[in-house]
């Protein structure tokens, strides 16, 4: 059966399987596996991060490491079950530099994000979310096709050429770099950004 004729979960599964063999940029060489998105195939909202981190690379699932734990904490505060969201990344392989035995995150190059873009666009095309949240600059650039200053645009809805609304906010790793009261304040502001997205999809279906 052609991919487009099968139900959305099967389409996602087929693409995930295909993406496991992706060699379209060199990042697969150092990574354990492709980390595909997860969540309902017809989720109302899609969250897009940058790329899997060390823990995600090993687990094969997005946002299960420290950044993911912070995301889970924010969603809990919002009373928003993660199971309702489709969570994915702009880049599907972990990019890192070795420091001793530690694999330290390295920001993906523009050409790597571009090579991966068709996977993200396929996810969007299948899930057809009502809105998307871009977590950080890499996700925002992939989703919107141009560099977007995150701090100047956070909490705002931007629109893609296809009409899909994209809310830009910080990546949770940016919050993890802060300490004490600064982190707490930043966390509250981040929750406020996420609430804007929560309200939009809630109102659209109320
Ligand atoms: N950071 C991301 O951008 N994505 C993940 O899946 C984990 C950490």
């Amino acid at each position: 059966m052609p991919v487009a004729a099968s139900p959305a979960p099967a389409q996602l599964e087929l693409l995930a399987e295909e993406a496991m063999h992706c060699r379209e940029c060199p990042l697969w060489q150092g990574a354990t596996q492709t980390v595909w998105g997860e969540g309902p195939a017809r989720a109302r909202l899609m969250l897009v991060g940058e790329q899997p981190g060390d823990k995600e690379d090993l687990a094969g699932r997005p946002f299960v490491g420290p950044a993911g734990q912070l995301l889970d904490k924010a969603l809990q505060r919002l009373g928003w079950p993660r199971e309702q969201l489709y969570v994915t990344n702009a880049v599907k392989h972990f990019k890192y530099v070795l420091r001793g035995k530690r694999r330290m995150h390295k920001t993906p190059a523009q050409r790597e994000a571009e090579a991966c873009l068709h996977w993200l666009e396929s996810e969007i095309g299948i899930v057809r979310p009502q809105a998307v949240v871009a977590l950080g600059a890499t996700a925002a650039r992939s989703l919107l096709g141009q560099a977007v200053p995150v701090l100047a645009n956070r909490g705002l809805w931007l629109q893609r050429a296809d009409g899909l609304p994209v809310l830009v906010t910080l990546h949770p790793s940016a919050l993890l770099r802060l300490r004490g009261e600064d982190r707490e304040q930043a966390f509250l502001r981040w929750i406020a950004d996420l609430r804007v997205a929560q309200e939009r999809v809630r109102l659209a279906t109320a």
Side-chain angles (χ1 to χ4, degrees):
M1 186 160 39
V3 170
S6 48
Q11 290 181 44
L12 282 174
E13 226 171 275
L14 272 177
L15 278 170
E17 174 54 32
E18 222 180 284
M20 291 303 150
H21 311 288
C22 184
R23 304 286 183 264
E24 291 167 46
C25 83
L27 293 187
W28 66 274
Q29 295 172 34
T32 308
Q33 57 195 317
T34 302
V35 178
W36 191 249
E38 73 179 18
R42 286 283 187 245
R44 292 177 200 162
L45 191 98
M46 184 178 283
L47 284 183
V48 182
E50 182 195 70
Q51 62 166 349
D54 182 66
K55 296 276 189 297
E56 290 79 10
D57 171 76
L58 297 172
R61 295 182 52 213
F63 283 103
V64 292
Q69 283 159 18
L70 195 63
L71 175 63
D72 289 344
K73 191 170 152 191
L75 294 174
Q76 250 167 32
R77 293 252 187 119
L78 288 162
W80 203 6
R82 175 163 165 167
E83 298 69 44
Q84 291 182 0
L85 309 173
Y86 188 90
V87 179
T88 192
N89 282 302
V91 171
K92 312 288 191 219
H93 282 118
F94 178 35
K95 181 173 184 177
Y96 59 89
V97 279
L98 276 177
R99 206 165 290 154
K101 284 192 177 159
R102 291 191 68 192
R103 304 191 302 171
M104 308 300 291
H105 162 275
K106 190 157 189 240
T107 304
Q110 185 53 30
R111 64 185 175 283
E112 291 155 351
E114 277 163 14
C116 227
L117 183 59
H118 71 98
W119 296 120
L120 176 62
E121 290 297 337
S122 295
E123 288 176 296
I124 292 171
I126 295 168
V127 177
R128 292 194 270 123
Q130 290 168 4
V132 181
V133 173
L135 299 171
T138 300
R141 182 170 192 141
S142 286
L143 286 162
L144 291 154
Q146 62 185 68
V148 180
V150 172
L151 292 181
N153 289 283
R154 67 175 301 173
L156 302 178
W157 288 107
L158 306 177
Q159 208 173 36
R160 285 164 42 110
D162 63 3
L164 182 64
V166 178
L167 183 121
V168 176
T169 188
L170 275 65
H171 190 282
S173 299
L175 308 188
L176 291 174
R177 287 192 283 274
L178 302 172
R179 291 279 160 258
E181 185 58 21
D182 286 348
R183 187 192 284 189
E184 193 48 37
Q185 289 304 317
F187 184 58
L188 293 176
R189 269 201 80 187
W190 192 54
I191 289 181
D193 289 348
L194 295 175
R195 185 175 287 116
V196 174
Q198 182 186 32
E199 286 296 302
R200 179 166 190 138
V201 293
R202 194 176 60 78
L203 291 175
T205 51

